[in-house]
Amino acid sequence: MKKWSVKRKVTLWYTVFMTLLVLLMLFILFFVGRNQLDTTLKANMQKFVAGAVTEAEYEDGVLEVDEELDFFWNGIYLSVYDKEGRIEFGRVPGGVAFEDMPYFKNNKIQEFTVQGETYLVYDLYSQTENEYEIWVRAVASKDGAESGLGVLVKLAAVIFPFLVILIAVGGYFVTKRALRPVNRIRRTAEEIARGGDLSKRIRLGNGDDEIYQLADTFDYMLDRLEDSFRREKQFTSDASHELRTPVSVILAQSEYALRNAEELEEAKDSLQVVHRQAKKMSGLISQLLTLARADSGRLKPNMEHINLSELLDILIQEQAEKAGEKGIRIHSNLQSEIMLYGDETMLMRIFINLLQNAISYGKENGNIWVILKENEKEVQAYVRDDGIGIAPDKLERIWERFYQVDPSRERKESGSVGLGLPMVKWMTEAHGGTVKVKSEPGKGSEFILKVPKNK
Ligand code: ADP
């Protein structure tokens, strides 16, 4: 039973069910039908006899009946006897003698058998007006009445099995057809498993039964999987690419120094380049590590009560110097004593990233505005600049890993590889918050951070 296919199991189940149903129906047809026939026959006999009694009368010592009286009706034979049991009128079924029948019993139905055939007999005693006594008797073959039913049951016994076979075969094909898409789903899954080609889809087409829905869900899942595999691949290739550049600079510089540097001073120049590149690599590696840990769910915020107003104030002072080099002024409007339950390191990295971006992509002698405020539900922070801005079609992409609007420009900056904003987004979300951006090319950008307050 274990290895049976669904279509076989289903077919077997309803074939057995149908067979039982047919047997039950035959049974009901036969027994209920027979009972019904029996009751009708008995009622008819009584009616027949009761009718005849009123028709019979003695005239001048001779029993007479209405000439129109029939002695056979609906399979019932009628006969009239005098009190000695001599037949006066009527008939009994052929092959039945008076002696075969039970003696008269008033208003009773009795049963008797002659040559294997069962008969019913019903008697009614009557006294005519002239005080003559008569018996009116009805006799009918019970088997005869049931013979019609027998034919019906036999017919049903032949037709029903045919119907069951028809239903079983028809049902088998319908189930087979209905389950064909399942086979296709299985085959697709198998092909993907064997060949590793995630671009395969089931594509069952139109239809809205459960199997079509399953196929659609399956295709949707494959879309998502393919997408995430593609991104994973892209991430690895981007990461290797970003690491390769500083490594080749380090190799070139050290080789140059080894070959050409005679004096320590000369070597120092190369060492400086090597040091810068190594620092860049170290920064990149630590960013990659953070993201990898975040992806695997191992990076959990270390929550504590933080005075965000103070923290942000210190960070702004730190960045002010770098901003000053570009002639940028930072204007801050921080509501004091804003407390947040969060991870201090993460919050610092979020704001350092946003401030550094605002400086990097801000214009010379421009401005940066930082606003911090809160309401009952959340803490809101705004970091706005009047720098180069971001084109609307690039706006959503800045949250992607390694995405840079203008790679040639940004690559000059140390350690800038397009991982900052994805990290900002991840860390904000780790605090249950959201980060959004509004920007207009040439006018500037604004990053809006909202973090819910925990009790
Ligand atoms: P990057 O290391 O390149 O700064 P980010 O992830 O921090 O990486 O930012 C991704 C890209 O978004 C940047 O390369 C830049 O093109 C754009 N960007 C980020 N912040 C700003 C801003 N304040 N103004 C204009 N462009 C920005």
Side-chain angles (χ1 to χ4, degrees):
M1 198 68 186
K2 223 166 155 194
K3 282 188 181 159
W4 276 36
S5 66
V6 173
K7 51 182 182 280
R8 267 206 201 180
K9 279 188 205 164
V10 170
T11 311
L12 181 78
W13 190 87
Y14 66 66
T15 308
V16 167
F17 180 76
M18 281 300 296
T19 311
L20 289 178
L21 197 75
V22 160
L23 287 177
L24 187 77
M25 271 170 57
L26 282 175
F27 180 81
I28 290 174
L29 190 72
F30 186 69
F31 285 97
V32 174
R34 201 169 70 164
N35 223 327
Q36 189 60 37
L37 279 175
D38 222 47
T39 317
T40 314
L41 182 64
K42 284 175 181 169
N44 276 345
M45 285 168 83
Q46 285 167 333
K47 202 166 115 194
F48 198 11
V49 169
V53 160
T54 58
E55 305 283 342
E57 57 184 31
Y58 266 96
E59 231 162 67
D60 304 329
V62 181
L63 186 66
E64 285 186 349
V65 292
D66 195 320
E67 275 178 12
E68 283 174 18
L69 183 70
D70 273 330
F71 293 101
F72 184 75
W73 172 70
N74 268 350
I76 306 166
Y77 294 84
L78 191 85
S79 43
V80 182
Y81 300 83
D82 68 7
K83 68 170 182 239
E84 267 83 44
R86 280 192 299 267
I87 188 157
E88 300 273 355
F89 294 105
R91 318 191 281 161
V92 289
V96 176
F98 184 72
E99 301 76 49
D100 296 332
M101 298 191 278
Y103 196 69
F104 299 111
K105 249 190 193 160
N106 188 30
N107 202 14
K108 277 259 142 51
I109 289 177
Q110 306 178 74
E111 224 178 274
F112 68 95
T113 311
V114 177
Q115 290 164 8
E117 194 162 350
T118 311
Y119 294 90
L120 290 179
V121 55
Y122 173 70
D123 304 307
L124 201 61
Y125 170 80
S126 171
Q127 263 186 341
T128 61
E129 281 168 22
N130 339 46
E131 306 267 311
Y132 282 107
E133 296 161 45
I134 55 164
W135 288 96
V136 181
R137 166 167 276 192
V139 185
S141 162
K142 207 175 160 186
D143 301 338
E146 285 168 7
S147 70
L149 181 70
V151 171
L152 199 71
V153 171
K154 270 182 212 145
L155 203 71
V158 174
I159 289 174
F160 279 166
F162 262 116
L163 277 181
V164 170
I165 291 170
L166 203 76
I167 289 168
V169 173
Y172 179 80
F173 283 106
V174 169
T175 326
K176 195 171 154 181
R177 232 183 114 94
L179 287 178
R180 204 175 292 154
V182 174
N183 243 337
R184 208 156 121 185
I185 296 175
R186 188 189 54 77
R187 241 183 296 129
T188 311
E190 209 174 81
E191 274 169 27
I192 293 172
R194 213 181 294 132
D197 180 5
L198 268 178
S199 67
K200 286 211 157 55
R201 296 291 179 274
I202 305 164
R203 300 225 192 289
L204 269 194
N206 291 332
D208 53 6
D209 64 20
E210 292 84 342
I211 293 176
Y212 280 84
Q213 282 168 9
L214 173 73
D216 275 354
T217 315
F218 200 84
D219 278 346
Y220 175 67
M221 182 192 78
L222 285 173
D223 284 347
R224 298 295 303 264
L225 267 180
E226 191 187 13
D227 194 47
S228 98
F229 270 108
R230 186 187 52 74
R231 265 196 271 175
E232 198 72 21
K233 262 193 204 155
Q234 186 67 39
F235 180 73
T236 317
S237 107
D238 286 344
S240 341
H241 181 79
E242 293 300 337
L243 282 168
R244 209 168 50 195
T245 321
V247 168
S248 28
V249 175
I250 288 174
L251 278 175
Q253 272 298 326
S254 46
E255 269 164 28
Y256 173 84
L258 280 174
R259 214 176 302 132
N260 302 313
E262 308 263 325
E263 312 262 320
L264 189 61
E265 278 310 307
E266 274 178 299
K268 262 189 179 169
D269 285 346
S270 296
L271 273 176
Q272 245 161 19
V273 176
V274 168
H275 181 247
R276 233 188 358 257
Q277 295 300 326
K279 228 173 118 182
K280 203 167 151 182
M281 271 175 71
S282 147
L284 178 58
I285 289 170
S286 96
Q287 275 183 320
L288 286 173
L289 226 89
T290 308
L291 280 170
R293 298 227 309 269
D295 284 347
S296 64
R298 277 180 293 141
L299 192 64
K300 295 254 159 50
N302 182 13
M303 305 298 256
E304 53 188 324
H305 290 283
I306 292 154
N307 187 328
L308 196 60
S309 313
E310 265 178 21
L311 183 77
L312 200 48
D313 195 40
I314 295 169
L315 293 178
I316 289 169
Q317 283 175 33
E318 273 175 21
Q319 298 298 318
E321 197 184 324
K322 208 177 153 213
E325 288 167 16
K326 235 176 139 179
I328 295 175
R329 280 189 60 196
I330 305 182
H331 314 268
S332 63
N333 179 0
L334 312 178
Q335 194 180 316
S336 63
E337 294 304 311
I338 289 186
M339 301 298 294
L340 190 70
Y341 189 61
D343 181 312
E344 189 170 25
T345 317
M346 284 193 192
L347 290 168
M348 271 168 64
R349 288 173 87 168
I350 290 173
F351 287 108
I352 290 175
N353 259 300
L354 293 180
L355 286 168
Q356 281 181 348
N357 278 350
I359 297 168
S360 302
Y361 309 109
K363 66 170 184 225
E364 302 249 331
N365 303 319
N367 297 283
I368 293 172
W369 296 267
V370 182
I371 300 170
L372 180 70
K373 56 184 182 183
E374 67 177 340
N375 58 29
E376 285 134 42
K377 286 187 294 178
E378 59 190 17
V379 172
Q380 300 174 347
Y382 301 79
V383 179
R384 183 155 69 89
D385 64 65
D386 52 5
I388 58 170
I390 306 160
D393 58 320
K394 310 274 162 60
L395 217 48
E396 272 316 302
R397 301 206 56 194
I398 58 170
W399 306 108
E400 290 173 17
R401 291 173 185 184
F402 291 109
Y403 182 76
Q404 296 185 308
V405 175
D406 180 3
S408 61
R409 176 190 189 282
E410 278 120 23
R411 215 154 281 282
K412 291 187 210 119
E413 316 273 337
S414 65
S416 156
V417 291
L419 285 178
L421 288 180
M423 243 159 29
V424 166
K425 187 167 151 65
W426 188 87
M427 287 174 179
T428 312
E429 284 168 1
H431 282 82
T434 56
V435 56
K436 295 219 164 68
V437 60
K438 283 185 196 160
S439 186
E440 214 177 304
K443 290 221 167 130
S445 318
E446 182 177 38
F447 287 81
I448 305 152
L449 215 94
K450 292 182 180 172
V451 182
K453 287 203 280 191
N454 299 57
K455 275 148 215 132

